Amino acid sequence: MRYYATASGPRVAEAIDAGLLGMIASPAAGNLVRPGWHWCADNNCYTGRYPGDQAYLRWLHRHTVHVDRCAFATAPDVVADAAATLARSVPILGPIRALGYPAALVFQDGIEHLPIPWDEFDVAFLGGSTTWKLGPAASDLAAEARRRGTPVHLGRVNSLRRLHHAARIGATSVDGTLLAFGPDRHLPRLLRWLQQIQPSPTGATAPAASDGPL
C-alpha cells in the first residue's frame, strides 16, 4: 500500500525519493513534483480551494511531464453529496483521461444508491464523511471495485487503525495530512505503521493497535 503525503521538509522528501512514500500534489498547495516521484493529484475541493475546471485542467497539463508516475487525478467533487459529485465530476473525467492521467471518481455519501459510471473512471477514491467512508456501504463498494479490477484509494488516513481498515477493504493507496504537522516527529512513526500493515507470508496483517482513532 502506498501512502501519499505532503512533501513537508527534507526528511519526507528523502522518503519519497526512496519510494517509501508518495506525494500528494494540488493546485492550491503549489508543491512541485520532482522527477522520479510517485504522486497523485488532488483537486482541493475538500478544503474549498478548487480553482475551477479549466484552471485545474491547465494545472494538470503543466504536470504531464510527470504523468507516467501519477497514480490518479481526482475529478472535482462535493463533500458528502454523491449526486452533486456525479454531476460535477462526470464531465471532467474524460478531459482528465485525455491528458494521460488515470481519472479518480471521489465516492461520496449515498453513491451506493445511484448508478455508478464504472467505465468512465480508473480509480475509486473513497471520500465523503468519516462515518460513511468507514462504514459498510463504502466497504461494499471497495469490494465491487476490486471485482472490476479498479484500484481503491482511501482518503484522510492519519492513524494506524485507519491504515488497517484500508488494508482490510483492499485499498491499494491512502493519503493523509499527518506529515504536514511535525513531519520529523511523525515520519518515523508513519513508516513503522506502513511496515506493520504489510502482509505476512500467510497473507495476514498484524492486529490493529490503538495508535490513534479510527
Side-chain angles (χ1 to χ4, degrees), residues 85-174:
T85 291
L86 288 171
R88 191 178 196 183
S89 292
V90 169
I92 308 301
L93 292 169
I96 290 173
R97 280 178 159 180
L99 290 170
Y101 292 89
L105 177 65
V106 184
F107 285 23
Q108 299 285 354
D109 303 40
I111 196 170
E112 67 272 22
H113 304 302
L114 300 171
I116 299 175
W118 290 100
D119 293 337
E120 297 184 39
F121 62 92
D122 307 291
V123 175
F125 185 122
L126 299 180
S129 67
T130 299
T131 299
W132 183 83
K133 74 174 185 174
L134 300 178
S139 295
D140 289 346
L141 287 168
E144 175 63 13
R146 295 198 317 273
R147 187 186 70 79
R148 292 172 175 267
T150 301
V152 176
H153 177 91
L154 183 65
R156 304 197 309 275
V157 174
N158 294 301
S159 70
L160 176 57
R161 291 184 65 192
R162 201 165 289 189
L163 271 171
H164 275 286
H165 176 76
R168 283 195 299 271
I169 66 172
T172 55
S173 62
V174 300

Side-chain angles (χ1 to χ4, degrees), residues 4 34-40 66-71:
Y4 291 96
R34 296 184 187 177
W37 279 11
H38 292 280
W39 66 293
C40 66
H66 304 297
V67 73
D68 60 323
R69 290 182 178 268
C70 185

